[in-house]
Amino acid sequence: MKLIIHVFLLLFLFFTVSVSGQKTHDDSLSIIIKKANQEIYNNPDNVIKTGKKLLKNEKDTKKLIRIYLLLSTAGFAKRDFDESLQYIYKARELAKKTNDPKVQTSVLMTAAVQFQQMDLLSKSIETLDEVDKYLAELPEDLSLKHFETARSFALRGMIYKSQANPEIALQEFLIAIKNFEKVADQKTTFYNQSIIYYNIGNCYLTIGEPNQAQKAFQKSIDIARLIKANSLEAFALKGMSEIPKQKHQNQAALDLLLQAEKLSKNIGDLTLNEVIHKEMADNYLAMGKQNLYQIYSKKYLETRLKREQNELSSINHALDIHNLESQKKSKDMITHYHFLVAAVVLSGVLILGFFFYSVLKIRRRNQRDQEEIKKLLSS
């Protein structure tokens, strides 16, 4: 269950980064990115091809950031965490050059999501704290502020959920929904609301309220169908299948899972396939259908192995980048220290020089005064 929740948040938070800038740039690039976003959940490979073509001729910093975030989103949809992480860091480095709190907020939120997905929770929280600083700089009537505030609450809710605090997580998700409802263009929040309702359903299941969970999952499915997001609908169907499974109504659970499997075929989402195959194997085992259990158990293990290999590669890459950042900070601190030492030494030299100059000046003046006194006395 923890794995499923992690996946849904990554899809939710990555998609929102790309659309958040569409209202400010009504150009051909925005149109292309908008079309690409519509394919992320169903054909991420095509999105990656589109993004790489856009990179070749683009020079504008803010547009490059949007393209890198698009590529990162598509990579994450495929569970190619390593490549996705590299694009995030490229976007983050460019964002530092803009001095734009809106750009900084969106890029940092995306980075925070990826860290959370990789179970680097302290790094995710650290990045969220940075996000809060930039959010404070945005005006209250700006839709983007509500949009990113909602994402921040949702991500913190995911972290609480992963730490076995479903009640607190549920509160965070409900606040996230309220903030999304404040966004002027509701169409840009449908993906997010679908996924948050899915996670709300999971929270209700965990605290033993299946009726509320059923309503939340159905809400998630309805929104997913409205925007034709197959992976979101598939995950929501998988979540809903937990309810009949808990009641030992295994065939009813399988009916929902078969719908989810059909929707997931052309997406290439390793985690989605993994959770569906595992649930199907469990239900077939409970029904005593050993052949089907063996088939789906094998599919589950193969997909899980591939996903874990991808995650391990990304974590190693993330640690390498973290070490480089730490080394850079260390060098900056050493440089700053040397600068301070030099400044202190220079200040000391100047003060001593001024002191000796003052002493010398006073001595010369005293000597002149003494000579004048002698002359007066001798006369």
Side-chain angles (χ1 to χ4, degrees), residues 198-210:
Y198 163 83
N199 285 288
I200 289 173
N202 275 327
C203 288
Y204 279 127
L205 274 181
T206 304
I207 63 178
E209 296 189 27

Side-chain angles (χ1 to χ4, degrees), residues 245 257 272-284 293 296-297 299-300 304:
K245 180 186 176 184
L257 290 168
L272 175 57
N273 292 333
E274 177 186 344
V275 294
I276 291 173
H277 293 156
K278 183 181 185 304
E279 288 302 309
M280 293 183 77
D282 289 347
N283 280 283
Y284 280 127
Y293 164 73
Y296 281 97
S297 182
K299 287 182 178 181
Y300 157 66
R304 177 182 175 181

Side-chain angles (χ1 to χ4, degrees), residues 292-308:
L292 290 169
Y293 164 73
Q294 292 294 337
I295 291 171
Y296 281 97
S297 182
K298 182 181 178 182
K299 287 182 178 181
Y300 157 66
L301 292 172
E302 290 173 349
T303 309
R304 177 182 175 181
L305 177 61
K306 189 174 181 179
R307 176 187 58 77
E308 288 177 344

Side-chain angles (χ1 to χ4, degrees), residues 146-357:
H146 301 306
F147 194 84
E148 299 295 1
T149 300
R151 295 207 297 158
S152 179
F153 274 108
L155 183 52
R156 292 182 188 278
M158 294 301 297
I159 294 172
Y160 283 124
K161 184 67 176 70
S162 67
Q163 295 173 334
N165 291 308
E167 292 88 355
I168 300 176
L170 185 57
Q171 293 175 13
E172 301 292 305
F173 291 136
L174 292 173
I175 294 173
I177 287 289
K178 289 181 180 179
N179 276 278
F180 276 125
E181 289 173 350
K182 295 178 183 178
V183 177
D185 186 358
Q186 281 292 294
K187 290 181 181 179
T188 62
T189 70
F190 284 154
Y191 285 87
N192 312 293
Q193 292 190 52
S194 174
I195 298 163
I196 294 176
Y197 276 117
Y198 163 83
N199 285 288
I200 289 173
N202 275 327
C203 288
Y204 279 127
L205 274 181
T206 304
I207 63 178
E209 296 189 27
N211 293 334
Q212 292 296 330
Q214 177 83 21
K215 293 177 183 178
F217 286 132
Q218 188 59 58
K219 185 73 174 177
S220 177
I221 291 170
D222 291 341
I223 297 174
R225 287 174 178 169
L226 179 65
I227 55 180
K228 298 180 180 179
N230 290 345
S231 65
L232 303 187
E233 183 180 350
F235 267 111
L237 286 166
K238 186 272 157 196
M240 188 175 284
S241 74
E242 293 284 343
I243 298 171
K245 180 186 176 184
Q246 290 181 1
K247 299 176 182 178
H248 305 291
Q249 298 170 355
N250 301 103
Q251 187 57 57
L254 280 166
D255 290 341
L256 294 168
L257 290 168
L258 288 167
Q259 292 180 54
E261 184 186 31
K262 184 178 180 181
L263 288 167
S264 69
K265 280 185 178 179
N266 299 320
I267 297 173
D269 186 327
L270 294 176
T271 304
L272 175 57
N273 292 333
E274 177 186 344
V275 294
I276 291 173
H277 293 156
K278 183 181 185 304
E279 288 302 309
M280 293 183 77
D282 289 347
N283 280 283
Y284 280 127
L285 180 63
M287 295 171 70
K289 296 184 178 181
Q290 288 294 327
N291 290 339
L292 290 169
Y293 164 73
Q294 292 294 337
I295 291 171
Y296 281 97
S297 182
K298 182 181 178 182
K299 287 182 178 181
Y300 157 66
L301 292 172
E302 290 173 349
T303 309
R304 177 182 175 181
L305 177 61
K306 189 174 181 179
R307 176 187 58 77
E308 288 177 344
Q309 289 173 339
N310 285 351
E311 288 181 352
L312 180 61
S313 176
S314 336
I315 290 172
N316 288 336
H317 187 71
L319 290 174
D320 289 341
I321 293 175
H322 177 70
N323 289 335
L324 288 173
E325 286 185 341
S326 297
Q327 290 174 10
K328 184 180 178 181
K329 288 180 181 178
S330 178
K331 288 180 181 178
D332 290 342
M333 289 178 66
I334 291 172
T335 302
H336 183 64
Y337 171 75
H338 287 162
F339 174 78
L340 288 176
V341 170
V344 169
V345 171
L346 180 60
S347 298
V349 170
L350 290 172
I351 292 170
L352 286 173
F354 178 76
F355 174 76
F356 285 120
Y357 171 76

Side-chain angles (χ1 to χ4, degrees), residues 24-270:
T24 59
H25 297 282
D26 186 17
D27 54 16
S28 58
L29 179 64
S30 292
I31 295 171
I32 294 171
I33 289 180
K34 183 175 181 179
K35 290 180 179 178
N37 274 319
Q38 293 170 352
E39 293 187 87
I40 282 177
Y41 298 120
N42 302 324
N43 194 349
D45 285 324
N46 192 47
V47 174
I48 290 172
K49 290 179 183 178
T50 300
K52 288 182 176 179
K53 286 181 182 178
L54 291 172
L55 281 178
K56 292 180 180 178
N57 301 315
E58 190 56 66
K59 301 299 181 183
D60 183 85
T61 300
K62 289 187 178 181
K63 292 178 181 179
L64 282 170
I65 290 171
R66 293 175 62 196
I67 296 169
Y68 281 133
L69 292 179
L70 178 71
L71 286 165
S72 181
T73 305
F76 232 94
K78 288 187 64 182
R79 300 299 178 268
D80 190 343
F81 299 138
D82 188 47
E83 185 176 7
S84 178
L85 186 65
Q86 291 182 53
Y87 285 128
I88 282 293
Y89 275 103
K90 287 180 180 179
R92 188 171 180 177
E93 288 303 309
L94 287 176
K96 291 177 182 178
K97 301 176 182 179
T98 66
N99 293 321
D100 186 335
K102 292 186 288 186
V103 174
Q104 290 275 24
T105 298
S106 294
V107 173
L108 287 170
M109 270 303 312
T110 306
V113 173
Q114 183 145 344
F115 290 133
Q116 186 267 350
Q117 290 297 305
M118 297 165 67
D119 281 331
L120 301 172
L121 300 185
S122 60
K123 187 70 175 175
S124 181
I125 292 171
E126 177 187 328
T127 308
L128 280 176
D129 290 340
E130 288 186 67
V131 170
D132 290 341
K133 294 177 184 178
Y134 288 109
L135 279 173
E137 297 179 24
L138 300 178
E140 290 297 328
D141 59 348
L142 185 68
S143 283
L144 180 63
K145 181 164 188 173
H146 301 306
F147 194 84
E148 299 295 1
T149 300
R151 295 207 297 158
S152 179
F153 274 108
L155 183 52
R156 292 182 188 278
M158 294 301 297
I159 294 172
Y160 283 124
K161 184 67 176 70
S162 67
Q163 295 173 334
N165 291 308
E167 292 88 355
I168 300 176
L170 185 57
Q171 293 175 13
E172 301 292 305
F173 291 136
L174 292 173
I175 294 173
I177 287 289
K178 289 181 180 179
N179 276 278
F180 276 125
E181 289 173 350
K182 295 178 183 178
V183 177
D185 186 358
Q186 281 292 294
K187 290 181 181 179
T188 62
T189 70
F190 284 154
Y191 285 87
N192 312 293
Q193 292 190 52
S194 174
I195 298 163
I196 294 176
Y197 276 117
Y198 163 83
N199 285 288
I200 289 173
N202 275 327
C203 288
Y204 279 127
L205 274 181
T206 304
I207 63 178
E209 296 189 27
N211 293 334
Q212 292 296 330
Q214 177 83 21
K215 293 177 183 178
F217 286 132
Q218 188 59 58
K219 185 73 174 177
S220 177
I221 291 170
D222 291 341
I223 297 174
R225 287 174 178 169
L226 179 65
I227 55 180
K228 298 180 180 179
N230 290 345
S231 65
L232 303 187
E233 183 180 350
F235 267 111
L237 286 166
K238 186 272 157 196
M240 188 175 284
S241 74
E242 293 284 343
I243 298 171
K245 180 186 176 184
Q246 290 181 1
K247 299 176 182 178
H248 305 291
Q249 298 170 355
N250 301 103
Q251 187 57 57
L254 280 166
D255 290 341
L256 294 168
L257 290 168
L258 288 167
Q259 292 180 54
E261 184 186 31
K262 184 178 180 181
L263 288 167
S264 69
K265 280 185 178 179
N266 299 320
I267 297 173
D269 186 327
L270 294 176

